[in-house]
Amino acid sequence: MNSRSLARALLASVALAASVVLAGCDTDQVSLATNAKANQPVSPKLVAAMAEKDMDLQSPILIRLFKQEAELEVWKQTRNGQFALLKTYPICRWSGDLGPKVREGDRQAPEGFYSINPSQMNPQSAYYLSFNTGFPNAFDKALGRTGSQLMVHGDCSSRGCYAMTDEQIAEIYSLGRESFFGGQKAFQFQAYPFRMTPVNMAKHRNNPNMPFWRMIKEGYDHFEVTRQEPKVDFCEKKYVFDAAKAPDAKRDPVFDASAKCPAYVIPEEIASAVREKEQRDEAEYNKLVAKGTPVARLNTGIDGGMNKIFASKIPEGSTGLSEGAEGNTLQMLAMSKAPGTIPGTVNPPKPNIDAVAAAQQEEPVVAVSTSPSNTRVATAAPAEKSGGFFSNLGHKMGFGTADATATTSPPQATASVAPATTPATAASRLKAAVTRFVPGHHEAAKDKPAVAAKSAEPAKPAETKVAATRPALKPSVNEGAGNVAASGGGQLAGAAPVVSSNSFDNRFSAVK
């Protein structure tokens, strides 16, 4: 009797062990949820939104991100096979400028198309949770671009990454985890400087990155017209989207980012839809340029951006290179609930201290009296004699004149030189504005030294301490806060140890 019971127990143990092996045959998936943070369930509210949009919990996802708008979108495949927008998350912090990452240490957050597989998910991140963007991809490598460990992570602190709050990254991580458990081998991550609309393309038409942006806009358009994840290939140091085998070809084309493009075709139903969209966009773009749409001022040393919902929560917060908001709007946003916990060490975007130190004495202001005109002609490049760095910074913050310069050809115009004391007075006011509107002006920044006014001996930045402990788990993101809308890689293999330290640089040097 005892021997029969023992035999049954052994058989049950073997069956249980076999089921565990079968369920965990993909070691990458096993590493996705090795701790409580990485194993948090998708919030009931988000599950309900999926049901309303005809989505399954474990259906594939796709992520799009926009620097200027400081927003990250999570798209999910519906039961009809197309992707639909599940939720938009405001980005807490990104660093660098609009434009792609070029080299290690340039503080740039990458732009382009990347593929995220389970091994790039890091449940042991020093920044709560994270996933590796996969930079550099084959296109980046073909151009000799360098960089590593570029992440989307929590902690709202960036030095070349895209930083969310811990609550946001927990939710995004859980969506990626479930898609992998549902069978998705990798999800696509699309990073853009801004939404690729005719208006934005017109505003940035003189930016040296425009050729690259026009190239990745093709992939943006492919997704817009198909609502399917575009197939991405590289050849001749360029992106190719939705390439297919030519009708007379015997095998699929083989792509090499540095080699000549093979023979391929784009399916006509996709090509024609993309062509029509591009024609509409180009027509609108030409109209905007013809009527003198102002050109966006190039970066004057401001480091990155921050969504306005987060800027409104920080004393004298700034959105930097992201889309800003009027004072009253920020005050109204400050009354709403933030989409997650904002660490006390967060530094909003601010001017580069080197750029401030290099600012030269402003030239005399020349006032020109002209007749009124409704015509606004955008300047083709950043003004070189418009009042110096602080004046330009003031314009970017909303002080003084607009970016565009109104010009007319009146029959008579008189010019008068302003008093010599005017520039110095204006510079003083603008320097005061920097001190007032740039948080952390008199203290050290977590990511970068704070801006200091020009002086004979610049003050040494004070050391900023980072809290040693944080809650292990964070509640789900409040979906009714601010801009959060529920509208419709150097790779990391497995888990990495958590690194504790008290400074941003030391923490960042570890795996994020």
Side-chain angles (χ1 to χ4, degrees), residues 187-243:
F187 65 82
Q188 194 170 89
F189 175 73
Q190 305 175 4
Y192 300 99
F194 40 72
R195 297 187 185 279
M196 311 302 275
T197 63
V199 172
N200 283 333
M201 298 298 280
K203 287 180 179 178
H204 296 277
R205 60 188 179 274
N206 286 345
N207 193 294
N209 291 302
M210 185 52 69
F212 169 73
W213 291 341
R214 284 190 174 275
M215 180 174 60
I216 62 174
K217 182 182 181 295
E218 292 181 23
Y220 177 95
D221 291 342
H222 277 241
F223 180 73
E224 286 290 306
V225 302
T226 66
R227 288 293 188 257
Q228 298 280 0
E229 177 183 303
K231 177 176 172 287
V232 180
D233 290 295
F234 313 99
C235 60
E236 298 178 10
K237 300 181 180 179
K238 67 179 182 180
Y239 278 85
V240 177
F241 300 99
D242 289 320

Side-chain angles (χ1 to χ4, degrees), residues 41-55:
V42 178
S43 69
K45 191 169 185 178
L46 206 52
V47 172
M50 293 180 202
E52 183 180 340
K53 296 172 182 287
D54 201 29
M55 303 167 176

Side-chain angles (χ1 to χ4, degrees), residues 150-184:
L150 280 303
M151 306 279 182
V152 175
H153 58 66
D155 202 43
C156 191
S157 181
S158 173
R159 194 179 71 175
C161 296
Y162 294 106
M164 319 299 292
T165 63
D166 291 354
E167 291 87 349
Q168 288 176 314
I169 194 61
E171 194 165 275
I172 296 168
Y173 188 99
S174 70
L175 292 170
R177 180 197 67 216
E178 293 303 318
S179 74
F180 291 135
F181 286 163
Q184 187 174 21

Side-chain angles (χ1 to χ4, degrees), residues 77-162:
Q77 194 176 63
T78 63
R79 293 189 178 96
N80 70 5
Q82 290 186 314
F83 281 83
L85 181 61
L86 173 62
K87 186 170 179 178
T88 302
Y89 297 84
I91 298 173
C92 196
R93 191 72 168 89
W94 61 271
S95 63
D97 197 356
L98 298 180
K101 184 172 184 65
V102 176
R103 63 185 179 277
E104 185 86 46
D106 63 5
R107 293 183 60 88
Q108 283 291 104
E111 294 174 6
F113 288 70
Y114 300 88
S115 182
I116 315 300
N117 63 49
S119 70
Q120 291 164 252
M121 307 290 283
N122 186 11
Q124 302 287 354
S125 175
Y127 289 79
Y128 196 73
L129 291 168
S130 66
F131 66 82
N132 194 316
T133 63
F135 178 93
N137 61 20
F139 168 81
D140 301 318
K141 292 176 181 177
L143 294 179
R145 294 177 177 175
T146 58
S148 60
Q149 308 300 331
L150 280 303
M151 306 279 182
V152 175
H153 58 66
D155 202 43
C156 191
S157 181
S158 173
R159 194 179 71 175
C161 296
Y162 294 106

